Structures are given as C-alpha cells and as structure tokens.
Amino acid sequence: MKKVIITWFLSLSFIFNAVADEGMWLPLLLGQQVYNDMVKKGLKLSKEQLYSVNKASIKDAIIIFGNGCTGEIVSSKGLIFTNHHCGYGAIANASSVEHNYLRDGFYAKSTSEEIPTNLTVQFLVRIDDVTKEVNDSLMGLSGAARASKQAAVMSHINSRMSDLSKNLETRISPLFKGNQFLAFVYQRYNDVRLVGTPPESVGKFGGDTDNWEWPRHTGDFSVFRVYATPDGKPAPYTTTNVPLKPKYHLPISLKGVKENDFAMIFGYPGGTNRYESSYGVQLATETNNPTLVKLRDMRLKYMFEEMKNDPAIKLQLASDYASIANYWKFFKGETEQLLKYDVYGQKKKDEEAFIKWAQSKPEYKDLFTDLEQTYAAWRPFSMHRVYINEGILGSPLLAFATSLQQLENSLVNPNASAEDIKKAVEAAGTARQNFVKSHNRPSDKNIVASVLQLYYNDVPKDQQPAGLYEAIRNEYGALDKASTYERYVDQLFTSTMILRDAKWNGFARNPDAKTLQQDLAFSLANAFVKNYQSKYLPLYQQFTSRNNEWGRLYLKGVKELNPTKVMYPDATFTMRVSYGQVDDYQPRDAVSYQNVTTMKGVLQKYKPGDYEFDLPEQLVKLARAKEYGPYKDPRTGDLVVNFITSNDITGGNSGSPVINGNGELIGLAFDGNYEALSHKIAFDKDLNRTINVDIRYVLWLIDNLGGADHIIKELTIRK
C-alpha cells in the first residue's frame, strides 16, 4: 500500500511540473527531492520532526480551527493562535452592545475569565493509506456507478476507523481526482474558549479596501484555548475542565525576517483545482464567477447600508458580511488574473499535447471529446445554479424557508405519527427562533426584491418556475420595474408566519401542510428550489459525475505519460506543508513591493473615524512614541507589522503558522495577493505571495495594547 502512495506522489507529466515554491505537500510523504530542496533553502529539521505518529512533532501543534481555518498550539497550556477573521464569529457572538469585544477588543486576565464558544478544534492523529481497499471495490466501475460505490465504501471505512466514544473521527480524502485515497484520523475537542482579541479596527485594519492587497498593515490574529478533562480527554464545556496539555507546542522567535529567509507553512488548505480543464476555466471566467460577484455585490451593498449607521446591526451582520465580502473580491480577482495571463490558452496548449500522446491509447483517446460534450450539455444551465445558491439562497429568509421542506415532508407523509410531527414542528420552531434573532429585515427585503428582478432578467425564461412571474405581474405590476418587486416583497415580509410570532404559534398548535405551503415566503422559496431540484439538479449531478470521471482518467494518463516527475495533490482541507522564502515582488512595470510593512505605514493609512482605517487612540499614542520594546525590528528600526513569502496557500490556510528553518513561529498567514488570485487553478511562480502578520506585532499588541503580559509569559520565546 505504501508503494501506491510513493508512486503517485513522485509522478507528474511535463504538463504539471512543479515550479519553485509551488506545492501543498503532504508532510507524511515528503519525497527526498522535495525535502532536499527544503533543506537547501534553509530547513534545519528532520522529516520526523515535521511529522511523526510515535513522537511529538510539529504536526501535533497544528489544528483544524472551527470548520474552515487553521490554528496552532503555542503553549504547554493549550493556548491557540489563529487569525482574527477565523475567530470573528465567536468574538461577535460573545459581544453585546454593552460589552462590544468586536469593537473594543478583549483579554481575559485569568482562565476564569475566558469565554466559552461553540467552536471545536481537531488534532490530526495519523494518516492511513486505504487506496488498495477502495480501488479493489471499484474494479470495473465507471461514472455514476463508480461514484456511488466509492461514496459507500468510503463511508464504511470512515465508520470502521472512527471511535466516537473517544471523539476520534476518520475522513477519507480522495487525492489526484480519485486515483489515491488516504484516511485522516482526527481527535476533536469541543471546549474552546476565547482568551483574547485585538479591536476590530486592528484585526481588520484596511477592511475590504485592503483585502487581498499588498502592502498590508493588518493585525489579523486572535487567541483561544482548548480545554479537556483532567486526564486530557475531550469533553463538552464544563467548569471542571482544565487547559489541555498538548503533545507539542510551537516556540516563538523574536529574530524577525529578512529577504530570502526560509519559511514553511503548515495548515489545512481548503481546496484547489490545479488540474482543471480549459473548459472549466472558460465556464468560470464567462459565467460562474461573474454571476457570483454580481449577486454578492448586491447583497453586500444592502447589508452595508444597514451596518454603517447602527453598532447593533453591525454586530448582527458582521460575521456574514465578512464571509460574503471575502470571496466576492476573491472571485472578482480570480477572473481578472485567469484572463490576464490567458490560463485558458495555457490549459488548451497542454491538453493538445496530451491529446496527441493519447491517440494510440484507447483508454484516453476520447477523453476530451467526451469532456467537450459534457460541458456543452451543462453550460446552458450553469448560471441558473449560481442564481439559486448565491441569489435565492443568498436571502436569509428564503434560505430559512427552504429549510422548512423537512417539516413539509413530515406533514405530507401519511405514515408520520403525531409524535413525529410534533418533534418536526418543535425542531422547526427552535430553528425559527434562532433565525429571527439574527435576521435583519431591512437588508433582506432589499436583497429579495433585487434578486427576484435579477433572476427574471438573467435566467433564461424557459428555466424559470412556471407561472411565478406571471402571478407577480398580474397582482403587483410590470416585471421590468423595481417597484413591482418592492410591493411584492412588502407583502411577503408582512404576511409570512416565519416573521410573525402569533401566526407561527397558531400554526404550531395545529400544523398542517396546506398552511405551510400557502405561506408566501415558503411558497416563493419552494417555487425556485423545487424547480431547480426537479429539472436542473439531476443535470448538474450528471455533469459532475462525468467531469470527475474525466479528471480521474486524465491524471491517470498523465502518470503514464511521464511517471518520474514530482507532483502534489490538490488541496482537500487536509494537512499540508508548503515552503518558500521571504521575497519582494514586482507586480507591474516600475512598481516594486518590499517584503515587510511597518508601523510607519499603519500611521500613514490611519484615518480617524473611518470605517476601515480608524485605530484605537492608545495604539496611535504608543506607535507615535515608538514604544516597541523587545519587538522592535533591528533592520528597519521600526515595528514590523506584516511580511510576505512565496509560499503556496489557499483558503483554509487562514491562521496557519509561518515557521522558520528552526521550527519557530515567525508569523500567521492570513491572505494572498490580488495579482495571483488565480492560485486555486493556476499558481503564478513570479507573483504569488502569502501575506502574514509578523509574530512580533502580535505579541506587541497583546503585551502593550492589550496589557496581557501574562499571556506573553506563557509562551516559549526565543530571542
């Protein structure tokens, strides 16, 4: 079984030859060629110090933080560093208008003041190769039959290798588009508490304007702690839990960085598609990305209008707004970079070479003919799918109304008992209470009215729900006027029982399917979603199945074409390590960016009272006095705030530790640069940079601005 892994890990065609600093490598399987290159660039650690099952290693300090970020253990008492934007939701949930930790920051003075959250963290226990077991079960299968069997086999293995009594969870990750299968075993801890956070004006300094941009001056960090039972076992929150004693924690270096310094980043990159076809690139740039950006732009506009004038609404919407905005700008930038560097043309050229090689190979010779037909069949419906996910379900009200389909199913089921229906109604009622508490009606009304008109204008008329828009026109007016949709939405928000307690309570006392189905919000959401689910979702599933089968065979063919070159698997939110160097870059003619930013730049951007560039008065005072103490950088004579490296990362790496050649923490990765936002599909060896917050800025903020020197004393600091 080990042979299967090594073969795949060390094979790549001329099409995909990894360039300098490219690659998100599995730390368990660092080939000698890759490891030697790491050592050449400055790594001083052995492979076993990076990853070991039997001994404490860096792997044991790296955690999945929440559901989509990375964190690292930095003390012997379970202290966690991650990004501010990773902890953002927990910080917002802990805040109130009276105790606004999001706005003002927070540091617990002792463990008794640390704030419980709903977060969990997961430690990687081990990785097992299950490729042979999975592939043996798939012999002779292809397409949808193969996908169905693969899902069943993986589920069975996951269940067999998990032990929920010990919070051990196994998740198989298909790599190289289903040519390799590794089982990742995690242990989940579910008592995670907020220890500290800078004010949002520091943690999000620069806001959307600076997002994905360099130069950057953001203090993007937050501090948490993981707790366990006294004997170190996972347990839900209780006051008897104690800080976890980890297997390993990262030491911290105060030496700083300079040009060409080695840097490696451990973490959980969420997903890349580096082996995407030219057809996929074309669909992304022509339809999927522009439609997503258009719909998110609309949603953000209406949310921001409500947030900017009311601190309570800003708290209410802050987490959702940040999440929507982050990838609004990402997909906008991705499209621009894919087009600018003609990634479609590059892919096409590579594919032509493969097609020429495959002419005498029966298994591969028709791959691209089949792929062209697959995309041709799906392309007419692709915009519709984006409109459902980003438009219709982009409305919080319509998304919640859609969730009531489960309740409808219970109500129309002739075999459902009275007890079953009661439980379904109670579950829906609890979910509704939580929804209403977090719902901002003014922004959502505008979103629903706008998306209804955009959907009508953009989605082909023959794909729209039958009779829906005719009914709106007959009762509310012409479909080319915004006022028509505004009147309709006024009636919807006024009448729906989802937003009216008395009406919902009456329904809950005597629930019936007809009342639910006639509710204006439910019927509207249902019209869109069931229309899509019944007619177009099966087409998308067929498209996905065929595209996945193409990807599997394509990479299998790539392996046969040239089996001796180094390759890496796409990111799959599994532990990876990337390596590179601290490095300047030149994004365009006559423009050169240095590799560090300093407090001088923070003060230059500072705009008192500005939504994105304001700062706490105390920070400004300390910065102007240049009171940097041991955190001052000897090279610049200033406090280094952010720095850039050539590491290969993507979403999910947020919060990842940036580690020097000695295994010491020097920063936290938090962003990429706009000039290389094609990185999910195509890595740019010249322009790709990872933006990191310097660990000395983190410590200065905790120590000097936060007054939390007890946290500093808990760390292992190397000067």
Side-chain angles (χ1 to χ4, degrees), residues 32-83:
Q32 196 61 39
Q33 182 178 342
V34 175
Y35 176 73
N36 288 347
D37 193 43
M38 295 175 75
V39 171
K40 181 180 178 181
K41 289 186 174 179
L43 178 65
K44 304 281 197 302
L45 306 179
S46 67
K47 289 184 186 179
E48 193 172 47
Q49 287 175 294
L50 301 180
Y51 179 98
S52 175
V53 174
N54 301 314
K55 297 180 180 180
S57 62
I58 287 179
K59 153 246 181 190
D60 297 310
I62 315 302
I63 57 174
I64 296 176
F65 183 86
N67 294 317
C69 280
T70 300
E72 51 274 358
I73 304 297
V74 293
S75 85
S76 60
K77 298 178 181 178
L79 200 68
I80 298 167
F81 281 178
T82 189
N83 286 156

Side-chain angles (χ1 to χ4, degrees), residues 441-458:
R441 297 187 191 187
S443 62
D444 200 12
K445 282 183 68 174
N446 286 327
I447 289 171
V448 175
S450 183
V451 78
L452 287 176
Q453 187 170 16
L454 289 170
Y455 181 102
Y456 177 74
N457 291 336
D458 292 351

Side-chain angles (χ1 to χ4, degrees), residues 570-585:
D570 270 319
T572 57
F573 201 55
T574 50
M575 184 181 285
R576 305 296 177 89
V577 59
S578 70
Y579 66 97
Q581 295 170 298
V582 177
D583 201 4
D584 300 342
Y585 74 107

